[in-house]
Every structure is written in structure tokens, then in C-alpha cells.
Amino acid sequence: MEIRDPVHGSIAISKNIEPIIQSPFFQRLRNIKQLGFSEYVFPGATHTRYIHSIGVMSITDKIFNHLFPEKNNDFNRLRETVKIAALLHDIGHAPLSHSTESVMPNVSALKLPRIFHESVDRQASHEDYTIKIITDSSLTESLALSQKQFQVCPNAASDLVRGISHDPSYFIIDNVNYFPLLSQIVSSELDADRMDYLLRDSYFSGVSYGNFDLDWLIDNLACAVHEGVAYLGISERAISTFDDFLLCRLHMFLMVYFHYRPVCLEQMLMKYFKESTSEYAIPAEIEAYREHDDYYLMKVLKSSSSQWAQDIVANNIVPKIYESHRPYQHEIYNKLIDYLNAEKIDFIKCSSVGRLSKYYNEKNSPMKGFPIKVIHQYPTKTKISNIDDVTDLYEKYSKSHLVQRIYCHLQNLSVSQNKEIEKIILSDG
């Protein structure tokens, strides 16, 4: 089987992967857009999580084959496990956007396999649905060929998606634990997911912010073993490319993902869910979840009498009246919020935080996951260091970029209210 992808070209699909892609759960991703409401602003951004997931798997395969060109049965098992984890990392994603997670049931209702049980109940997320689908659904049966041919364990694939291993021995070969490295390929500062969505979202949105040198980046990745643990490493000579990769992601957030119209539509969807509680909910029964895609939710919205639903369908967003980026603007934003609340005026507010990294804090120390290593190759020896000791981008961009917006129908307000709002906003200058 072969898939022609406009971003990566021809992608070969192996026999053991075919049943997974052909399963109803994976086919469901054809009807879930990668960027949700962004197509309302960028009309070309209608690409789906289906092709994105296949792209992530393709990049993962390239990375693994580059890191381990010579493979025995154990490494073939790890290769297929990480490929499946990459392919299915978004399998539990809800319709349209992350906003839909607000109508998911408690995680206890999913009845996850005992190994994934948590002591405290909470609202489920798309990650919980991903684990349930991989380990305990009709899709699990599609992993049978991978289990038979490569001894792949579905729980191990789920562990790579979660970033936590319940059975470290599964990932140990010749006394080296490869779980951290494989987990980093699936989810980290330099993962295959980001590599694909930056290029793909940039391509289909018609912008250039997400472009970087993918081939050079992969060619300079390495396996860095430290004290019996394998981490994802990168050659020192490719640090500038890594820096470019980080900046591409930041720019895509600021210019595409945080665009004021899709952000407002997501908030309007939240308003709809809050006011029309009986019209739509995500089911806990996992097989019923297969029906819930963008088209299912849009059908519910189209048949709703809610004004929020009608406005979403018609792309009638609430007008933006103020946007703040800098500290003194945030003060004006707060004054405006206070006035609108005091006057009991209906409005929408939202905050978007753009940051260079979610894995490192302001002191450049690892906060989540495993540290990416830098390989320093010298004539007589090799030195390994952490990425934050080599690049200064974390320090330069240690502060988050906060964008706050207020949306309101000014035409529904009195003359005096409009004048007061104008007065507050003009104090910006």
C-alpha cells in the first residue's frame, strides 16, 4: 500500500500497518480537521488528522531507521511499536477543537484497562480516549498482525503516547533502556508530531512560518546513551537548525494558531456547550465515539436553535474590540473587563499564551519528559550535554507572549456605554 502525500511525497504502508489505517477508528480521522476552525480564515487549511497521523508515522520511521540502520528482532519490535504510537497519537481526538473536551465524561466512565487506572477521578481528555482506543476497542484487533509478526504490545504503544512506561523491560535491549528516546520521538521538543504539523499546517494555510529543513534535522539526530538510558540526541552542528525549528513553532502559534477569528469561534463553541447542555456530549462508550467527528458535531449545531450554534455555522463571530500584547495594554484590558462586568454587558474574553517551549522553564531546566542531548564529536572522544546548555534561545525567549482579546457587539450598547468603552481603549495611546 502506498499513499501520495503533498508534504512528504510517497509514503509506503507496510502490511502490518494496513489493517490499522483501514479500521473504522482511524478512518474517522478523515473527518476531523487538523486545525479546527482555522479554515474559516485560511480556506486551504482543510487537511485532516488522518493524513497528519500518517505523516507523523512516516517521519518516525525515517528517524528510527536513521538512528538504528542495523536492526535485529528486538529493534524491529521497538520500531513497529513507536511507529504505531506515532500513527495513533491523535486517534482519540474530539471533533473540531480541544474545546469539545469540555463535554467529555469523567475518565472513570471510560473503564480504561486496570493498568491505566488513576486514583482520582477527573474529566477525560482526548489522551484518555487514545489509550482506550489503542488498548481496549475494536481497533485493538487491527494490531493483531503487528503482535504476531513483531510481538508488539498495545500497552507499550500507549505508554509511548503517555510518556510513562509500565514495563521498562519491554524497551531494554543489551542493558540499555530505549523508552526515553522512543517517547521523545512521539512527544518532545523535537518530536515527529511537530515536524509534521509545522510543515503541513504551513503548507495548507498558505504561509511560510512553519518551514524548516526536515532532512537536515533528521540526518543530524543521534542516539545518546547515558548511564544505560538512551535519549534523543542532535549533532552540535545542527543546533542552528534546531533553533530555527523552535522559532518556526512559536511563529506558527502567534500568526496562525492564535488568529483571533478561530480563537473566538472556539470560545463561542464553549458558550454553546455551556448554555445547551442537553444537545451534545461525548459518549463514554468507546464504539459509539467512532461516530463523533466534525460532521457529526456540525450537524448538531445546524439543527440547534441556539444563537451561538447558528452564528458558528454562519461564521458570524462576535466583533473584536480590543487586543493586548504588552504590559500596559494588559492593564487597559483589565480596565475594560471591569467596566463590561460592572455594566453587565455580554462579551467574550480569551487569552492565548505563546511560548518557545513547554518543556523548559525560565531557568532552562527540564520540566517535562526527557532532556534532548547534544552530541559533541571530537577527534578522540565524544561529549554529551543537555540541549539547554548549548542554545541560548530558552534564555532569550524565557518569557511567554500573552495575547488577550475582548469581543463584544457594540451596536447593542447605549451611546454612553460606547463612549466609555472608546475612552478606555483610547487610553492605550
Side-chain angles (χ1 to χ4, degrees):
M1 180 177 177
E2 183 178 84
I3 291 176
R4 294 292 298 177
D5 178 24
V7 176
H8 302 302
S10 178
I11 298 177
I13 307 298
S14 56
K15 290 292 184 181
N16 64 300
I17 297 296
E18 284 187 26
I20 304 174
I21 290 179
Q22 293 169 352
S23 69
F25 270 110
F26 196 83
Q27 290 295 313
R28 165 184 168 271
L29 298 183
R30 287 183 181 273
N31 298 326
I32 296 184
K33 295 183 181 66
Q34 176 71 11
L35 295 184
F37 288 116
S38 291
E39 68 160 318
Y40 283 39
V41 179
F42 306 97
T46 58
H47 55 299
T48 65
R49 293 190 180 274
Y50 172 87
I51 189 58
H52 162 65
S53 297
I54 292 174
V56 176
M57 181 196 67
S58 176
I59 292 176
T60 295
D61 195 34
K62 290 179 181 179
I63 292 174
F64 193 95
N65 290 335
H66 169 73
L67 296 178
F68 308 105
E70 297 180 6
K71 294 176 282 293
N72 55 28
N73 289 338
D74 286 333
F75 277 103
N76 283 331
R77 170 171 51 83
L78 295 189
R79 180 193 63 197
E80 296 305 314
T81 303
V82 73
K83 281 175 59 180
I84 290 171
L87 180 67
L88 300 179
H89 78 285
D90 269 352
I91 196 70
H93 216 285
L96 281 180
S97 68
H98 290 279
S99 303
T100 319
E101 294 189 19
S102 66
V103 290
M104 283 183 171
N106 281 356
V107 68
S108 59
L110 290 182
K111 298 180 180 179
L112 293 171
R114 185 171 299 277
I115 192 174
F116 300 109
H117 278 188
E118 299 181 14
S119 57
V120 180
D121 202 8
R122 55 172 173 77
Q123 187 169 44
S125 67
H126 73 272
E127 288 92 348
D128 298 310
Y129 276 84
T130 293
I131 294 169
K132 178 70 174 181
I133 292 169
I134 294 175
T135 61
D136 188 25
S137 76
S138 56
L139 178 136
T140 311
E141 301 169 5
S142 69
L143 303 178
L145 186 56
S146 296
Q147 291 177 282
K148 179 180 179 181
Q149 187 174 353
F150 298 103
Q151 290 73 56
V152 169
C153 175
N155 285 352
S158 290
D159 284 348
L160 288 176
V161 174
R162 297 173 67 246
I164 302 173
S165 174
H166 287 100
D167 181 16
S169 63
Y170 181 93
F171 299 94
I172 294 177
I173 299 177
D174 296 332
N175 297 318
V176 176
N177 181 7
Y178 289 94
F179 179 80
L181 184 151
L182 300 182
S183 177
Q184 287 174 299
I185 294 175
V186 176
S187 179
S188 72
E189 196 82 274
L190 192 56
D191 59 37
D193 179 30
R194 294 184 180 193
M195 291 181 186
D196 183 83
Y197 78 62
L198 286 178
L199 293 175
R200 191 172 302 279
D201 294 350
S202 181
Y203 176 88
F204 284 99
S205 297
V207 302
S208 59
Y209 306 114
N211 292 329
F212 64 94
D213 194 338
L214 175 65
D215 292 337
W216 175 255
L217 202 55
I218 292 178
D219 286 346
N220 282 279
L221 295 180
C223 173
V225 178
H226 178 67
E227 297 180 351
V229 179
Y231 299 95
L232 184 63
I234 184 172
S235 170
E236 184 180 21
R237 66 178 183 169
I239 291 301
S240 59
T241 306
F242 173 76
D243 288 351
D244 183 47
F245 179 75
L246 289 182
L247 291 173
C248 280
R249 179 176 177 272
L250 177 62
H251 293 157
M252 282 293 287
F253 268 93
L254 296 178
M255 304 305 295
V256 177
Y257 307 143
F258 289 168
H259 193 282
Y260 76 95
R261 291 185 68 89
V263 168
C264 184
L265 285 164
E266 288 187 6
Q267 293 300 313
M268 292 167 63
L269 184 63
M270 293 286 284
K271 291 270 191 180
Y272 163 73
F273 288 147
K274 187 175 181 179
E275 294 184 6
S276 306
T277 56
S278 62
E279 291 189 0
Y280 183 77
I282 299 292
E285 205 286 305
I286 200 62
E287 298 304 322
Y289 188 57
R290 293 189 317 192
E291 303 300 319
H292 286 252
D293 55 24
D294 289 2
Y295 297 102
Y296 186 104
L297 178 53
M298 287 302 294
K299 184 177 181 180
V300 172
L301 294 175
K302 288 177 180 179
S303 63
S304 174
S305 60
S306 164
Q307 188 61 51
W308 291 116
Q310 293 174 19
D311 285 342
I312 291 170
V313 172
N315 192 17
N316 292 328
I317 76 163
V318 180
K320 181 184 65 173
I321 66 170
Y322 191 72
E323 181 174 286
S324 67
H325 294 266
R326 292 173 285 281
Y328 77 91
Q329 292 177 324
H330 297 328
E331 293 178 10
I332 295 167
Y333 169 89
N334 292 329
K335 290 179 181 178
L336 196 52
I337 293 291
D338 291 341
Y339 176 76
L340 294 171
N341 283 327
E343 292 291 308
K344 297 182 180 179
I345 296 172
D346 191 25
F347 67 97
I348 290 176
K349 66 175 181 177
C350 61
S351 299
S352 302
V353 180
R355 51 185 175 178
L356 185 76
S357 169
K358 68 176 182 179
Y359 293 95
Y360 291 84
N361 64 14
E362 294 181 358
K363 296 181 179 179
N364 298 342
S365 61
M367 289 183 66
K368 182 180 179 181
F370 307 102
I372 293 173
K373 302 294 184 178
V374 177
I375 312 297
H376 308 264
Q377 194 71 52
Y378 300 106
T380 57
K381 70 173 186 176
T382 299
K383 178 184 175 183
I384 298 177
S385 62
N386 287 342
I387 189 72
D388 51 308
D389 293 326
V390 178
T391 177
D392 60 354
L393 273 190
Y394 294 112
E395 183 177 354
K396 287 182 178 179
Y397 291 86
S398 59
K399 294 182 179 179
S400 300
H401 185 85
L402 175 63
V403 181
Q404 298 184 113
R405 300 181 176 109
I406 299 174
Y407 304 80
C408 183
H409 286 290
L410 296 180
Q411 71 271 19
N412 297 334
L413 308 184
S414 67
V415 174
S416 61
Q417 288 174 327
N418 270 285
K419 285 184 177 180
E420 185 60 30
I421 289 173
E422 182 181 28
K423 179 181 177 182
I424 295 172
I425 291 175
L426 289 179
S427 65
D428 186 332

